[in-house]
Amino acid sequence: MILNGDDPDVLAAPVPVAVVGAGAMGSGIAQIAAQAGHDVHLVDAVDGAARAARERLHATLSRLAGKGKISAEDAAATASRLHVAPTVRALPQVGLVIEAAVEDLTVKQALFAELEARQDAAVLATNTSSLDTSAIASGLHRPDRVIGLHFFNPPPLMRLVEVIHGPHNATEAGGALLDAASELMRRWGKTPVRCTSTPGFIVNRVARPFYGEAQRMVGAGEIDPATLDLAMRDAGFRMGPMELTDLIGQDVNLAVGTSVWEQTGRDPRYEPTDYQRDLVSAGRLGRKSGAGVFTYDDAGVAQNAHADVSRAATITAADAPLAGNPVARTLAMLVNEAVDLVARDEATAEDVDTAMRLGTNYPKGPFEWGREIGFATIADQLTDLDRRYPGGRYRPSPALRDAG
Ligand SMILES: NC(=O)c1ccc[n+]([C@@H]2O[C@H](COP(=O)([O-])OP(=O)(O)OC[C@H]3O[C@@H](n4cnc5c(N)ncnc54)[C@H](O)[C@@H]3O)[C@@H](O)[C@H]2O)c1
């Protein structure tokens, strides 16, 4: 088996897969694995939840066949590969477990201890979005069995998977396992990128300023939300940060930002804004609560989203002042985050660009933008902003001057 270094190809065959947690992510991951030819065993702590997830997946597969996206034979074969186990203890021996249970370190540690005891050879993966994979693996005899496979929502549609590793994977077997897992993700039609178990991994870390800059500018009364969103869309982003956080949920977005801030020792670069905290405490959570930054009517149409078209163009013009230009400020901060991540050896520049394009749908990767704008220009812009808004948020990464 791979953990003894005997068989680095343990994931090469369509090994049976177990998915623990049959919620939004677990169901989607089960679908992908079954469509890729694996027998999949779904298990959930709540009685009947795994069975209900399997029924929903059967309906999804029939719908895909009805629309001609997959053949009826494929749908039937995939459906027959989906199985339900009543408990983790009742799971058969599998080659890969993907845990997608609740985001709670104590729950995950207990689950992995049980999985290690019961699964002799399986690679043990967690889909955690914010916990340290080394902490999840910490109590195990063979922590190098544990890797992160961070899928994005919804898993069947999102191509990106962050393959996460920590110091606990730094064995020969652990390295081979990460390679095998990346290869497996490719066979599942995904695009894997590698990242250390750093807070937020790549996507949830580098994307922080996309929200933070907008909230700071709107919170300070420098611009209205609709005009800011328009300026960002005009720069090539599919959605502006204000409408996007209303869609994600202000509470969900704040929780991710707060987690990164806490895990980085409250680094001022990630400090959540009062603007967003106030939205959440007022119950303005976004579309799901009928109001967030914008207010939504019953048809989901934003009511107070009137952008000033000419102002959006003026503030983003080449000679416009930096402090009032949301696009320039955001891009400078995104590039800085990306350069800093790579300088700390958490991920490669190529993987960061791939992750941001696929995970957030940005039109370009931060390194592409950095080369276009010029890394030295970005360092100068941040130095300006740092002078204007002291406190550490805008401090340029020393690596910016050497990037390129
Ligand atoms: N929702 C997202 O956008 C997203 C994206 C990437 C990663 N994640 C991560 O994926 C994991 C699951 O998230 P989700 O959105 O699918 O949550 P969810 O609430 O939809 O599903 C979680 C499921 O796990 C079950 N569960 C809880 N404790 C369990 C246990 N001890 N054993 C077995 N099952 C248990 C719950 O009953 C529930 O059905 C979390 O770690 C989350 O951080 C979520």
Side-chain angles (χ1 to χ4, degrees), residues 37-357:
H38 298 259
D39 272 300
V40 180
H41 302 269
L42 261 173
V43 59
D44 197 283
V46 172
D47 225 18
R51 197 165 294 282
R54 184 173 63 170
E55 275 162 28
R56 281 195 303 276
L57 286 173
H58 283 184
T60 302
L61 292 164
S62 304
R63 216 170 34 245
L64 290 174
K67 287 188 189 160
K69 303 239 181 208
I70 57 175
S71 70
E73 294 73 36
D74 259 5
T78 303
S80 74
R81 288 192 283 270
L82 289 164
H83 316 280
V84 166
T87 57
V88 168
R89 173 196 287 257
L91 282 170
Q93 293 295 313
V94 297
L96 171 66
V97 179
I98 302 180
E99 171 276 320
V102 64
E103 188 76 341
D104 178 309
L105 181 60
T106 314
V107 171
K108 289 198 197 289
Q109 283 173 331
L111 265 174
F112 277 82
E114 185 171 16
L115 287 165
E116 177 177 56
R118 302 205 172 271
Q119 292 289 330
D120 295 337
V123 175
L124 306 177
T126 172
N127 184 47
T128 182
S129 43
S130 66
L131 300 172
D132 178 12
T133 58
S134 296
I136 293 174
S138 61
L140 304 195
H141 299 291
R142 289 296 303 266
D144 58 351
R145 292 177 76 173
V146 177
I147 62 171
L149 288 178
H150 184 220
F151 290 81
F152 287 73
N153 195 9
L157 297 183
M158 296 292 284
R159 265 172 58 200
L160 184 68
V161 177
E162 292 177 327
V163 178
I164 307 301
H165 57 99
H168 66 284
N169 300 110
T171 61
E172 200 178 318
L177 189 155
L178 288 160
D179 290 341
S182 294
E183 196 43 47
L184 180 72
M185 292 303 101
R186 276 187 209 101
R187 286 202 302 280
W188 288 9
K190 299 297 173 194
T191 304
V193 293
R194 225 37 109 75
C195 186
T196 61
S197 185
T198 189
F201 310 144
I202 300 176
V203 172
N204 281 338
R205 176 73 163 263
V206 176
R208 291 332 317 144
F210 181 71
Y211 312 109
E213 283 308 289
Q215 289 161 7
R216 277 180 167 70
M217 292 186 71
V218 172
E222 291 173 42
I223 188 169
D224 69 277
T227 304
L228 182 137
D229 275 356
L230 177 65
M232 298 299 282
R233 285 197 304 273
D234 284 348
F237 291 97
R238 268 206 207 155
M239 290 179 89
M242 299 319 230
E243 53 189 339
L244 181 56
T245 45
D246 266 0
L247 181 68
I248 294 169
Q250 298 297 340
D251 52 339
V252 173
N253 188 260
L254 176 62
V256 176
T258 305
S259 159
V260 170
W261 182 51
E262 294 289 359
Q263 290 187 65
T264 53
R266 301 197 162 191
D267 186 325
R269 273 193 297 182
Y270 311 110
E271 183 169 5
T273 59
D274 288 342
Y275 176 81
Q276 189 172 41
R277 286 183 177 128
D278 289 349
L279 281 176
V280 173
S281 30
R284 297 183 67 106
L285 306 182
R287 283 179 174 272
K288 63 185 173 187
S289 68
V293 174
F294 303 108
T295 307
Y296 298 90
D297 68 11
D298 290 345
V301 178
Q303 295 304 290
N304 50 342
H306 306 296
D308 182 336
V309 177
S310 80
R311 177 141 196 261
T314 318
I315 57 171
T316 53
D319 56 353
L322 172 67
N325 181 343
V327 174
R329 277 175 63 159
T330 304
L331 292 185
M333 290 289 279
L334 288 176
V335 173
N336 193 44
E337 264 323 307
V339 165
D340 199 44
L341 196 73
V342 171
R344 283 186 284 108
D345 267 344
E346 319 278 14
T348 67
E350 194 187 355
D351 275 359
V352 170
D353 273 4
T354 301
M356 297 317 286
R357 273 193 278 98

